[in-house]
Amino acid sequence: METQRLTPFIGAELTGVDADDLQRPEVFEHFLGLVHQHELAVIRGLELTPAQQIELATKVGRPVPFLMAKYRHPEHPEIMISSNAMKANRPVGVARVGNFWHQDSSYTKDPAPYTMLHGVQVPSTSGHTLYASAADVYERLPQEWKDRIAGRTALHTVTKRQRISAEHVGLSIAEFKELVNQEYPPVEHALVRQDPDTGRPYLYGAPEYMHSVVGFDANENAEFFALIDALIQDPEHVYTHRWTTNDLVVWKTATTYHAATEVAPGVDRTVHRVSIEGGQWAA
């Protein structure tokens, strides 16, 4: 069993272990410790059944069934199937998930603190996942901006990224936005938080899931959003996970920015995703 850093800024990889090894408490605790200290942890080529993935997730906390029932695994509702594949002319799962920089579910009051992905059918040439550390982003903020956002909160919303469904046909843009706001009312979160594992301050909020910083005018918000977008996407501070079959990736949702990249035309990609509540990061 060996551990190596993926980048100086985010991520660690554990090698030389299999599913049986992870049943040993000391091995699993080491893996979870990597998540806590490095935002995300990877084990490549880990053969897992859906039931085994759920079992691993319960070692972290409490797996949460995905909100949209039609995209749940048919035998394991805690697993969301992220897939562009078709079976019998029907989608296997939900396609084009998270193809923008975000922190998982920050538009909710109490987001699940962990996400676990298992690569079931993954191309190596496209459909990568990009990751960046929210602590590293905060560290690179100019001091002027650290001073300006100190003690402030931000309004988070899914309005910019809510998908349009069949029931929304005929609505005006204003009506659609109002419907989304009723279903997912904006929530307010502190803009700067402290990681209880590392003690580092981190930025909580990505422009695609934020409406505004409370107390900033439109120009200030636009300037701030442009700045953090640039910091998050700086290629020198991004880890690109190029998937191989059966990769397991686990991250802390609050401290990890991520974005999925496009899948090449004609190529199928299926990943099993589990959101995990509770655990060490429970509110």
Side-chain angles (χ1 to χ4, degrees):
M1 183 174 72
E2 295 183 0
T3 299
Q4 63 179 16
R5 294 293 306 273
L6 293 171
T7 74
F9 315 105
I10 188 171
E13 181 177 345
L14 183 62
T15 60
V17 298
D18 59 19
D20 289 337
D21 293 323
L22 288 173
Q23 295 302 313
R24 293 159 50 197
E26 68 275 16
V27 175
F28 189 81
E29 285 304 313
H30 176 69
F31 176 68
L32 190 56
L34 296 178
V35 176
H36 290 150
Q37 292 300 313
H38 304 294
E39 326 304 346
L40 72 93
V42 173
I43 302 177
R44 288 197 177 271
L46 186 70
E47 295 186 10
L48 292 174
T49 65
Q52 286 175 314
Q53 184 180 359
I54 294 300
E55 183 183 4
L56 274 184
T58 60
K59 292 178 179 294
V60 180
R62 183 175 62 257
V64 184
F66 185 56
L67 183 65
M68 299 172 66
K70 65 180 178 179
Y71 296 127
R72 294 173 182 169
H73 190 283
E75 299 172 8
H76 302 280
E78 302 91 345
I79 293 177
M80 183 198 82
I81 302 177
S82 172
S83 178
N84 65 342
M86 303 287 288
K87 186 176 182 180
N89 293 319
R90 299 188 65 178
V92 170
V94 57
R96 297 181 68 249
V97 175
N99 58 335
F100 54 93
W101 284 99
H102 64 288
Q103 289 150 310
D104 283 332
S105 302
S106 73
Y107 55 86
T108 63
K109 182 180 178 182
D110 295 304
Y114 302 93
T115 297
M116 174 185 286
L117 296 187
H118 189 234
V120 177
Q121 181 184 7
V122 287
S124 60
T125 54
S126 64
H128 312 314
T129 306
L130 312 177
Y131 294 95
S133 164
D136 178 61
V137 168
Y138 178 78
E139 189 173 288
R140 289 182 287 124
L141 276 175
Q143 188 59 48
E144 173 198 354
W145 279 102
K146 289 179 179 178
D147 294 340
R148 290 172 70 176
I149 66 174
R152 291 190 182 272
T153 59
L155 290 176
H156 292 237
T157 176
V158 74
T159 304
K160 299 177 186 177
R161 286 293 176 172
Q162 177 70 1
R163 293 176 179 233
I164 297 174
S165 302
E167 62 266 27
H168 302 134
V169 173
L171 296 179
S172 68
I173 293 176
E175 290 170 332
F176 175 68
K177 286 184 175 180
E178 179 58 30
L179 190 65
V180 174
N181 280 332
Q182 289 176 9
E183 187 172 357
Y184 299 102
V187 296
E188 197 168 337
H189 292 299
L191 195 51
V192 180
R193 296 176 166 185
Q194 187 175 46
D195 185 329
D197 298 313
T198 65
R200 298 176 68 191
Y202 66 92
L203 189 67
Y204 192 61
E208 292 301 306
Y209 276 166
M210 279 200 295
H211 173 270
S212 59
V213 176
V214 176
F216 278 8
D217 63 27
N219 290 333
E220 289 174 310
N221 276 304
E223 187 180 359
F224 181 61
F225 285 3
L227 171 62
I228 60 175
D229 254 342
L231 292 175
I232 293 168
Q233 298 180 48
D234 181 350
E236 296 297 319
H237 291 257
V238 168
Y239 165 62
T240 300
H241 187 76
R242 292 174 170 82
W243 288 87
T244 58
T245 302
N246 289 324
D247 286 356
L248 183 78
V249 184
V250 182
W251 67 86
K252 297 187 297 191
T253 60
T255 61
T256 307
Y257 291 107
H258 60 288
T261 63
E262 292 294 329
V263 180
V267 177
D268 288 346
R269 179 182 186 272
T270 299
V271 174
H272 286 176
R273 179 185 188 274
V274 179
S275 292
I276 306 169
E277 288 185 344
Q280 184 170 317
W281 270 61

